[in-house]
Amino acid sequence: MLNLTFGEQVKIVLSRKGMTIKELAEQIEARTGKKMSRQNLTQRLGRDNFQEQDMRMIAEILGCSFQLSILASLEAEKAMVIEEELPTEKELGRLAAKKEMKEIREEKKKEKIENVPEAAEEPAEEVIEAVEESVEEVAEAAPVMEEKAVEHVEKAKKEDTKYSNNSKYFQPIKQRKDLEEDREAGEINPYTGREYQTNSVRTHPKRIGYVQVYDRKEHKWTDMTEWAFIGMEENKKAALGKAYEPPIYLD
């Protein structure tokens, strides 16, 4: 212990007293009236760059007598402690590094929180315009989607005699000609135990104003906006005429 530099001894005492370098720097700054940051003190401890008066002041702050080693008083206080029970220098260094990293993370987190209001006060005009356009598109498409959904539900009630009024969240699927199902590659409808049929459509679980449309050829769902899906179905209806088959609404 006596062969350690003053800076190394200070770090050990800080660790044993549960203090951080930042707290020590604040007390030094309060006593001297001179600016002392955590980074500056860390560098000085690493270089062991201290005058005798500074060393005496730090020893006084730490509650240690200043002789040849500031650890002298601590060693006297812990004379009855078994050496094996004391933390090793490696453990002390790891604890000190952990505290330092915690302080750095807290400082960075504080800086991010302080910078958020400044960035939010003046959002880019392009972002505002995009949001407004998206809201308008969803608002325009919503009534049409609701009307189509109501028509489909009423039609399903008439065509399927097995329809149950207790099925609040699920409408029966009307069987149609479709590609052969693949229960390994495709996604299974939990209500039927079979792969979803092509052109099955459901509300997107995460994105507002979006739907998901299933395709057995690809065995997966495709995301698209509600208004885009409605436009696609209207084009199909115009092109196919009587051969047109409406989508299968799942919710």
Side-chain angles (χ1 to χ4, degrees), residues 223-235:
D223 295 356
M224 62 175 62
T225 61
E226 293 178 350
W227 63 267
F229 174 72
I230 293 173
M232 181 182 70
E233 289 300 312
E234 292 297 327
N235 291 336

Side-chain angles (χ1 to χ4, degrees), residues 82-242:
I82 300 176
E83 184 176 356
E84 287 76 7
E85 295 180 352
L86 293 175
T88 64
E89 294 182 17
K90 184 176 181 181
E91 292 173 342
L92 292 172
R94 184 168 61 253
L95 292 173
K98 185 176 180 180
K99 287 186 178 181
E100 289 300 306
M101 289 300 298
K102 183 177 180 181
E103 290 181 359
I104 293 174
R105 285 196 298 269
E106 290 178 350
E107 289 178 1
K108 291 183 177 180
K109 184 177 180 181
K110 184 177 179 181
E111 291 176 359
K112 290 182 179 180
I113 294 175
E114 291 176 349
N115 292 334
V116 167
E118 298 178 2
E121 288 178 359
E122 300 180 358
E125 295 183 0
E126 309 88 73
V127 176
I128 297 177
E129 293 178 358
V131 172
E132 292 178 346
E133 290 178 1
S134 178
V135 172
E136 291 177 358
E137 290 174 354
V138 173
E140 292 176 359
V144 180
M145 281 294 294
E146 183 177 359
E147 183 179 351
K148 293 291 182 182
V150 172
E151 291 178 0
H152 174 72
V153 172
E154 294 300 325
K155 186 176 181 180
K157 287 181 179 179
K158 295 177 181 179
E159 294 180 355
D160 194 336
T161 57
K162 296 181 181 180
Y163 179 82
S164 173
N165 290 328
N166 294 327
S167 301
K168 183 177 180 181
Y169 300 104
F170 171 73
Q171 305 301 334
I173 295 179
K174 176 184 175 182
Q175 296 298 321
R176 61 168 78 189
K177 293 181 181 180
D178 197 356
L179 295 177
E180 185 176 352
E181 66 177 342
D182 186 335
R183 299 191 185 186
E184 293 185 1
E187 185 173 336
I188 304 302
N189 186 330
Y191 295 97
T192 64
R194 306 181 70 87
E195 183 182 9
Y196 283 102
Q197 291 181 276
T198 296
N199 214 25
S200 296
V201 59
R202 66 185 181 187
T203 302
H204 199 289
K206 297 181 180 180
R207 305 175 69 183
I208 299 176
Y210 279 73
V211 297
Q212 292 183 319
V213 184
Y214 194 79
D215 186 352
R216 271 195 185 179
K217 183 178 180 181
E218 302 292 336
H219 301 294
K220 65 179 183 179
W221 298 92
T222 300
D223 295 356
M224 62 175 62
T225 61
E226 293 178 350
W227 63 267
F229 174 72
I230 293 173
M232 181 182 70
E233 289 300 312
E234 292 297 327
N235 291 336
K236 286 170 60 177
K237 183 186 293 186
L240 298 176
K242 293 182 178 181

